[in-house]
Amino acid sequence: MQRRQFLSKSAAATFGFQVVASHVVRAQDGKPSPNSKIRIGAIGCGGRGEANLDGMKDEAIVALCDVDERRAAGARKKFPDAKTFVDYRAMFAEMGDQIDAVLVATPDHTHAVAVHAAIEKGKHVYCEKPLAKSIAEVRSMRQAALEKKVITQVGNQGHSSDHIRLFCEMVWSGAIGEVTEVHAGCDAFKNVYCQIDKIGDFTQQHEIPAGLDWQQWLGPLPDRPYHPHYLPFNWRGYSAYGSGCIGDWVCHVLDPTFWALDLAMPTAITAEVQGYDPMIHAEFYPAGTRITFEFAATEKNGPIKIIWHDGEESIPRPKELEEGRNPVRTGAVVHGTEGVIMHGSHGAGGCRLIPEARMKAFERPEQKIPRVPGGHHQKDWLTAIREGRQAGSNFEYGGALSEIGLLAMIAIRRPGKRLEWDAQAMQFKNDALANTLIKPVYRAGWA
Ligand SMILES: NC(=O)c1ccc[n+]([C@@H]2O[C@H](COP(=O)([O-])OP(=O)(O)OC[C@H]3O[C@@H](n4cnc5c(N)ncnc54)[C@H](O)[C@@H]3O)[C@@H](O)[C@H]2O)c1
């Protein structure tokens, strides 16, 4: 089923509803009071969490939960009136009825448990991308959000940009004919995503730094010793916690194609890897990957191939690009039967037909998609809460997009094998081992 068909089938149940946080609609005339602020609790306040809080600072930031006081220091200084917590379960127990909406910006492996706790309490949720660390978690989060009718947003902020809208309108206007193949990828942070050189470094015990609750950082994952290699930032290169380059970037880089073509899930996926043996390196990610996703023909599109390149692998230079112009390194080249579009990351930044002569001759298409003022992704969610509509990259959309990266992470563990994916049944048709990687193993006490 195409994604849009799925959405329209469940639209009455999911998108037609009017849910507005009670706190926000308390004005006497029944309209949202312009002065009432949405009360936000944040889980994960350093790094991206702090940046998201900056985008929500006009609301009431009432609670800040973080397992590391050093990382939370910046947000705590900015929002001194917020109550602070180390365990989000304590935050909900104490302030459950004083929070309308929740930001989750922890590392990927704790998104699902934190988001579920928020949704169970009926809170609207903004969760960083990728929506979770595994496909089974993404599915259960999507389901929970539908059942509780909460307003959700995944943190692929380019989705609120003007560029992504222009890209869709260009494709829909027939600028490149029928899309047949997309080369996408990312060449950022190579030595963060590939940590294989650290393989011999895990023999010594390290003291847990003061102010860090390591068990709470691990959350649902089996216990393992703290190591300074993991924090901050580098956890994304360890397969237990982070989603590697593709998991981190697919929600930014493939968002334009996914939206414009209303893509369903791939039916087959094949990974080619560099410098990586899954029998030895399963804890890590490869130095380079080339991953081919095959999408079956639908009523709207013919069969489409998306080929992902990262690390030591680069997006091939399109022959349509003039000499002297730089090829895209983090972004995509979208090939159609009648032309090529090249764009960057985070919502098709710098979207152009190539060669430039084609772009110059091209008449900008009519605007079909309403713009998000200022391209402000956090405000899109906050406005959606006030208006009782879904946000642009809600869990149905952003979750499905995240699944593409999560499929790739499984394919990396089965290099060279063409895995056939049955999205509806949530299983691979031809690989029992790959099927064991769809759902994570949680330790006792976590579900
Ligand atoms: N949208 C974007 O452009 C973008 C950019 C960077 C990161 N991200 C995403 O944001 C998320 C966080 O990434 P980051 O780079 O900010 O990581 P980080 O490690 O720098 O920050 C994570 C924060 O969460 C806290 N934390 C960790 N576990 C926690 C828990 N169980 N409960 C409460 N707090 C916890 C940490 O102490 C830290 O303050 C990731 O999912 C990442 O993919 C998105």
Side-chain angles (χ1 to χ4, degrees), residues 7 123 136 153 166 171 186 222 278 310 371 384:
L7 289 182
K123 310 302 173 199
Q153 181 88 299
L166 173 63
V171 171
C186 168
D310 70 31
R371 269 42 181 172

Side-chain angles (χ1 to χ4, degrees), residues 69-398:
E69 13 182 271
R70 303 162 307 169
R71 301 284 291 145
R76 287 184 182 180
K77 201 165 166 201
K78 284 179 189 166
F79 305 104
D81 296 335
K83 277 202 165 178
T84 60
F85 297 88
V86 174
D87 185 335
Y88 62 82
R89 294 166 296 189
M91 178 179 97
F92 288 123
E94 190 179 325
M95 294 188 68
D97 55 356
Q98 296 160 54
I99 293 173
D100 302 309
V102 172
L103 161 69
V104 175
T106 59
D108 307 352
H109 69 281
T110 38
H111 287 183
V113 287
V115 165
H116 267 293
I119 293 180
E120 269 162 33
K121 296 265 177 198
K123 310 302 173 199
H124 307 299
V125 182
Y126 184 111
C127 179
E128 262 310 332
K129 42 59 38 186
L131 183 54
K133 182 68 193 54
S134 74
I135 293 171
E137 290 172 321
V138 167
R139 295 283 173 102
S140 76
M141 292 155 88
R142 288 167 67 179
Q143 188 59 32
L146 291 178
E147 281 167 11
K148 283 284 190 174
K149 297 183 164 65
V150 292
I151 313 289
T152 56
Q153 181 88 299
V154 179
N156 48 319
Q157 65 270 37
H159 196 82
S160 292
S161 70
D162 285 2
H163 284 124
I164 195 167
R165 285 159 173 72
L166 173 63
F167 174 83
C168 291
E169 288 157 356
M170 283 172 75
V171 171
W172 297 341
S173 75
I176 56 172
E178 195 171 301
V179 174
T180 52
E181 191 162 295
V182 179
H183 285 269
C186 168
D187 82 340
F189 310 126
K190 288 182 192 173
N191 53 3
V192 170
Y193 294 119
C194 183
Q195 297 279 341
I196 289 177
D197 60 338
K198 310 281 185 350
I199 196 163
D201 291 0
F202 289 86
T203 48
Q204 274 182 317
Q205 289 276 356
H206 292 266
E207 206 171 308
I208 298 170
L212 170 66
D213 185 329
W214 176 243
Q215 286 304 321
Q216 200 56 36
W217 189 92
L218 286 172
L221 295 189
D223 192 8
R224 72 162 74 180
Y226 164 81
H227 197 289
H229 280 339
Y230 298 137
L231 303 181
F233 203 78
N234 291 339
W235 51 262
R236 52 208 348 114
Y238 294 90
S239 65
Y241 316 123
S243 313
C245 185
I246 185 163
D248 232 9
W249 285 84
V250 89
C251 291
H252 292 313
V253 166
L254 284 184
D255 190 1
T257 296
F258 199 63
W259 187 355
L261 302 182
D262 190 21
L263 281 184
M265 283 295 115
T267 49
I269 170 166
T270 313
E272 294 155 74
V273 298
Q274 279 191 24
Y276 179 86
D277 177 347
M279 297 295 282
I280 303 168
H281 302 131
E283 290 276 306
F284 302 96
Y285 287 105
T289 61
R290 185 178 193 275
I291 296 170
T292 304
F293 301 90
E294 297 170 47
F295 292 84
T298 62
E299 271 170 31
K300 281 190 174 170
N301 308 310
I304 295 168
K305 261 191 189 170
I306 296 182
I307 300 119
W308 175 269
H309 313 258
D310 70 31
E312 302 304 320
E313 299 277 353
S314 332
I315 301 171
R317 183 187 179 91
K319 66 177 179 357
E320 292 79 2
L321 190 66
E322 307 90 316
E323 255 182 61
R325 276 184 70 193
N326 289 333
V328 67
R329 296 191 179 286
T330 298
V333 181
V334 182
H335 296 263
T337 48
E338 285 162 45
V340 180
I341 295 177
M342 193 168 88
H343 69 71
S345 184
H346 293 63
C351 165
R352 310 290 288 170
L353 280 164
I354 54 171
E356 190 58 20
R358 280 287 311 271
M359 190 68 209
K360 287 209 171 111
F362 181 68
E363 218 170 283
R364 237 180 140 90
E366 191 195 329
Q367 277 194 13
K368 292 204 162 142
I369 314 173
R371 269 42 181 172
V372 173
H376 200 306
H377 199 53
Q378 293 88 5
K379 279 209 177 127
D380 177 51
W381 174 62
L382 296 163
T383 308
I385 294 173
R386 291 203 159 83
E387 292 178 354
R389 60 163 172 88
Q390 269 301 349
S393 186
N394 56 74
F395 281 11
E396 280 303 296
Y397 178 90

Side-chain angles (χ1 to χ4, degrees), residues 3-17:
R3 188 159 31 84
R4 196 161 293 154
Q5 274 176 289
F6 172 75
L7 289 182
S8 66
K9 278 189 195 241
S10 50
T14 54
F15 294 91
F17 61 81

